[in-house]
């Protein structure tokens, strides 16, 4: 990257202040990531076409999750989960093709009912460590045309490796020191990525919910932002797709995702405030400070893609200053192997 970054000492001062300690100068060089490193870190699942050996090595640990009447897969389920659970008659397990197929249900409602009953049995069995309880929040699974195929309890998305649809929003305001971005620090109590930086607002789409409706809901729950203000001022700037080589909590596994991303300018009197306990506090950062935090790995993994897409939109990352622009863009807009909306 040719962009000049702010001095490392200024970042150390800010971090030290957050920890309540006196600033300490670095005694060793901190490894900084390139923008390509960040993009690859999010879209890290091996490509079957370009990395066949790596893909096959991973695929051997999984079964394809399929639904009767559809040729493509909808996710990947760990083989050990397939082996330890006694599947009801509405499922067909084919060990030769390594597929698990929901074979019953004529429409989305019937499929969802069969699927839900199976999840209840899985929880009661106690044999699936990643599925100890259901969240009773339904998320959608679509086919390529956009038609709803199945509603899945959010707790099962990681287990079945289905595409997660979500929203993220960046927020900024004009100050006497210039434009400042509201960046939340995740609560230390969070199971995933505790204490790391995040986007101002983010969350998963519920079934039947539009991206904008989801954004408005999450903005109120996470940042106490007024519904009318968000609905009137949030601007969409991209839709991202990628496939992580960890699950949604950063643990061993995988997670394909689609994120609808927005930005919003807040008036001075509109201040993000933590509400649901998921955020420790919101910090104001300049764009240079955000970029510095990105390359130092301070942001939650998939948030990097949201910021990279925003920097590309602004022209801060372009073909003149980033030789890997095309590759970065491809990682932000992956053609997923599973049927998506």
């Amino acid at each position: 990257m040719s962009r000049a970054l702010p001095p490392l000492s200024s970042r150390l001062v800010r971090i030290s202040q957050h920890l309540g300690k006196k600033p300490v100068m670095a005694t060793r060089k901190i490894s900084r990531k390139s923008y390509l490193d960040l993009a690859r870190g999010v879209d890290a699942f091996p490509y079957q076409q370009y990395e066949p050996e790596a893909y096959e090595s991973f695929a051997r640990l999984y079964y394809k999750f399929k639904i009767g009447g559809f040729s493509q897969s909808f996710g990947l389920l760990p083989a050990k989960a397939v082996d330890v659970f006694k599947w009801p008659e509405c499922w067909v397990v084919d060990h030769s093709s390594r597929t698990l197929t929901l074979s019953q249900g004529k429409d989305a409602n019937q499929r969802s009912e069969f699927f839900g009953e199976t999840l209840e049995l899985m929880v009661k069995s106690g044999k699936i460590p990643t599925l100890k309880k259901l969240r009773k929040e339904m998320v959608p699974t679509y086919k390529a045309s956009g038609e709803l195929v199945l509603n899945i309890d959010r707790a099962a998305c990681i287990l079945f490796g289905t595409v997660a649809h979500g929203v993220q929003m960046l927020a900024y305001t004009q100050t006497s020191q210039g434009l400042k971005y509201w960046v939340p620090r995740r609560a230390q109590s969070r199971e995933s990525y505790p204490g790391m930086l995040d986007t101002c607002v983010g969350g998963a789409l519920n079934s039947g919910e539009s991206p904008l409706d989801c954004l408005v809901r999450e903005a109120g729950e996470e940042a106490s932002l007024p519904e009318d203000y968000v609905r009137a001022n949030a601007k969409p700037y991209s839709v991202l797709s990628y496939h992580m080589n960890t699950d949604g909590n950063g643990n061993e596994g995988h997670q394909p995702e689609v994120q609808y991303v927005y930005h919003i300018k807040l008036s001075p009197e509109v201040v993000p405030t933590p509400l649901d306990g998921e955020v420790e506090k919101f910090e104001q950062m300049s764009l240079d400070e955000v970029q510095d935090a990105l390359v130092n790995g301070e942001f939650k993994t998939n948030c990097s893609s949201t910021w990279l897409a925003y920097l590309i939109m602004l022209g801060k990352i372009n073909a003149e200053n980033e030789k890997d622009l095309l590759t970065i863009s491809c990682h932000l807009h992956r053609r997923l192997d599973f049927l998506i909306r």
Side-chain angles (χ1 to χ4, degrees):
M1 297 178 295
S2 60
R3 176 183 62 82
L5 295 170
L8 179 58
S9 59
S10 65
R11 297 289 301 131
L12 290 170
V13 168
R14 191 169 65 82
I15 295 172
S16 298
Q17 290 173 341
H18 168 71
L19 296 174
K21 300 177 180 178
K22 293 182 179 180
V24 178
M25 295 303 296
T27 57
R28 63 181 177 84
K29 184 177 180 181
I30 294 178
S31 176
R32 294 157 77 84
K33 300 180 180 181
S34 69
Y35 289 140
L36 181 57
D37 289 335
L38 293 172
R40 284 174 170 167
V42 178
D43 186 41
F45 190 83
Y47 284 73
Q48 185 174 15
Q49 181 179 358
Y50 305 113
E51 307 164 277
E53 292 184 2
Y55 180 88
E56 289 304 321
S57 177
F58 185 92
R60 282 196 293 269
L61 304 175
Y62 287 81
Y63 275 54
K64 294 179 180 179
F65 165 44
K66 307 194 74 172
I67 296 175
F70 299 90
S71 59
Q72 283 187 261
S73 303
F74 286 85
L76 291 171
L77 185 77
K80 54 188 177 183
V82 175
D83 293 337
V84 301
F85 181 67
K86 183 178 180 180
W87 295 89
E89 293 182 357
C90 56
W91 293 88
V92 175
V93 180
D94 189 329
H95 295 292
S96 60
S97 63
R98 300 184 70 80
T99 58
L100 174 72
T101 304
L102 178 61
S103 59
Q104 296 183 25
K106 297 180 180 179
D107 55 29
N109 288 334
Q110 288 187 3
R111 295 186 202 104
S112 300
E113 184 175 347
F114 283 118
F115 194 91
E117 290 173 355
T118 300
L119 294 184
E120 295 283 359
L121 292 174
M122 295 181 86
V123 171
K124 290 179 181 178
S125 75
K127 295 182 178 180
I128 312 296
T130 56
L131 194 65
K132 296 180 180 180
K133 64 178 181 179
L134 302 181
R135 298 181 61 167
K136 304 302 181 181
E137 298 175 10
M138 307 307 292
V139 296
T141 296
Y142 299 102
K143 70 177 186 179
S145 65
E147 179 184 342
L148 180 67
V149 176
L150 178 70
N151 286 316
I152 299 178
D153 190 288
R154 187 175 173 183
C157 288
I158 288 178
L159 175 63
F160 283 80
T162 55
V163 178
H165 295 79
V167 298
Q168 292 189 9
M169 183 173 71
L170 309 177
Y172 48 88
T173 191
Q174 188 67 46
T175 73
S176 58
Q177 289 81 39
L179 210 60
K180 295 286 187 177
Y181 290 80
W182 288 105
V183 180
R185 187 172 295 278
R186 294 167 67 85
Q188 292 292 342
S189 59
R190 297 289 296 272
E191 178 182 351
S192 59
Y193 306 99
M196 298 194 74
L197 301 180
D198 209 331
T199 54
C200 184
V201 172
L205 267 73
N206 291 331
S207 187
E209 191 174 42
S210 72
L212 181 58
D213 286 340
C214 176
L215 183 71
V216 169
R217 173 177 56 79
E218 291 288 351
E221 293 175 356
E222 293 186 349
S224 307
L225 295 177
E227 175 180 342
D228 292 344
Y229 190 94
V230 174
R231 194 174 293 278
N233 293 280
K235 309 294 183 186
Y237 67 90
S238 190
V239 58
L240 311 177
S241 54
Y242 46 82
H243 197 161
M244 298 188 294
N245 66 349
T246 59
D247 67 22
N249 293 323
N251 302 318
E252 179 183 355
H254 76 104
Q255 181 65 69
E257 291 191 354
V258 172
Q259 293 285 346
Y260 299 89
V261 291
Y262 297 75
H263 65 94
I264 188 170
K265 184 176 183 180
L266 301 179
S267 57
E269 66 273 12
V270 179
V271 178
T273 305
L275 181 64
D276 60 7
E278 295 187 354
V279 172
E280 178 183 317
K281 66 175 182 177
F282 287 89
E283 306 175 22
Q284 282 193 331
M285 299 172 64
S286 69
L287 193 57
D288 279 344
E289 289 176 318
V290 168
Q291 290 175 266
D292 201 15
L294 277 171
V295 299
N296 281 330
E298 295 181 46
F299 277 89
K300 176 175 174 280
T301 302
N302 70 337
C303 294
S304 298
S305 62
T306 303
W307 281 106
L308 289 175
Y310 182 71
L311 292 169
I312 291 172
M313 181 197 71
L314 293 181
K316 297 293 185 180
I317 302 177
N318 57 63
E320 302 304 317
N321 63 20
E322 178 53 74
K323 63 181 178 63
D324 295 311
L325 177 63
L326 178 59
T327 305
I328 291 170
S329 297
C330 289
H331 281 295
L332 299 181
H333 305 284
R334 177 173 183 150
R335 183 181 177 88
L336 296 172
D337 295 329
F338 310 117
L339 290 171
I340 62 173
R341 171 172 158 176

